[in-house]
Amino acid sequence: MKIENYPATIIPKPLSVVYSRGTFQLVPKTSIQVDIGNPEVYQIGEFLADILAIPTGFPFRVMEATQPAAQKQIRLTINNDDPNLEEEGYSLSVTPLRIVLKAKEPADLFEQTQTLCQLLPPFIEKSKIQKG
């Protein structure tokens, strides 16, 4: 399943969008990495893993980010020190190797998982394994 960089309708509308070339493809070994020692972020990672596992059939592994991943990953992180993040704001970056979701608060990170799902093909909402 691919996440492509293409014009998308995202709700709520982002303050800014920067398009780049490339595609992130979900594969069976894609991991979801979360902040160490943050149970709220871990729970959000499990939620995202459950959403993605249904249509893909992939067993997404949620783990604490102890070191940079050597494989494809989705990274969920809280960053209160980023001056570019406004209140209730977040950053979402997609490259061929990583998706990084960054927010100041866990609630904003959770909402960001919904934004990520809006960038996926429509069959992400199916209740059966899909091909592609």
Side-chain angles (χ1 to χ4, degrees):
M1 180 176 299
K2 295 180 181 180
I3 298 174
E4 298 184 25
N5 292 325
Y6 60 90
T9 302
I10 301 171
I11 300 170
K13 184 178 178 181
L15 293 176
S16 68
V17 176
V18 176
Y19 293 99
S20 60
R21 293 182 182 208
T23 301
F24 182 91
Q25 185 166 357
L26 297 171
V27 296
K29 290 189 176 187
T30 301
S31 66
I32 298 175
Q33 295 199 356
V34 299
D35 292 342
I36 297 170
N38 191 325
E40 286 179 282
V41 176
Y42 194 91
Q43 188 174 15
I44 294 166
E46 288 182 324
F47 171 80
L48 181 60
D50 289 344
I51 287 175
L52 298 176
I54 294 169
T56 64
F58 301 156
F60 292 97
R61 187 170 164 216
V62 179
M63 62 182 82
E64 291 186 330
T66 57
Q67 58 188 349
Q71 302 178 43
K72 289 189 172 242
Q73 69 168 279
I74 299 172
R75 177 73 166 94
L76 308 178
T77 186
I78 298 296
N79 188 334
N80 292 316
D81 300 326
D82 188 337
N84 296 318
L85 291 178
E86 297 182 18
E87 197 66 33
E88 297 184 13
Y90 61 81
S91 167
L92 185 145
S93 171
V94 179
T95 69
L97 295 176
R98 303 177 84 193
I99 296 175
V100 179
L101 292 82
K102 187 186 331 177
K104 285 191 172 194
E105 299 292 334
D108 302 325
L109 195 59
F110 175 78
E111 289 176 13
Q112 193 173 5
T113 63
Q114 305 305 301
T115 300
L116 176 61
C117 289
Q118 291 178 55
L119 295 173
L120 293 167
F123 62 79
I124 197 68
E125 297 179 11
K126 299 288 184 183
S127 59
K128 296 182 203 173
I129 294 175
Q130 304 295 305
K131 292 184 180 182

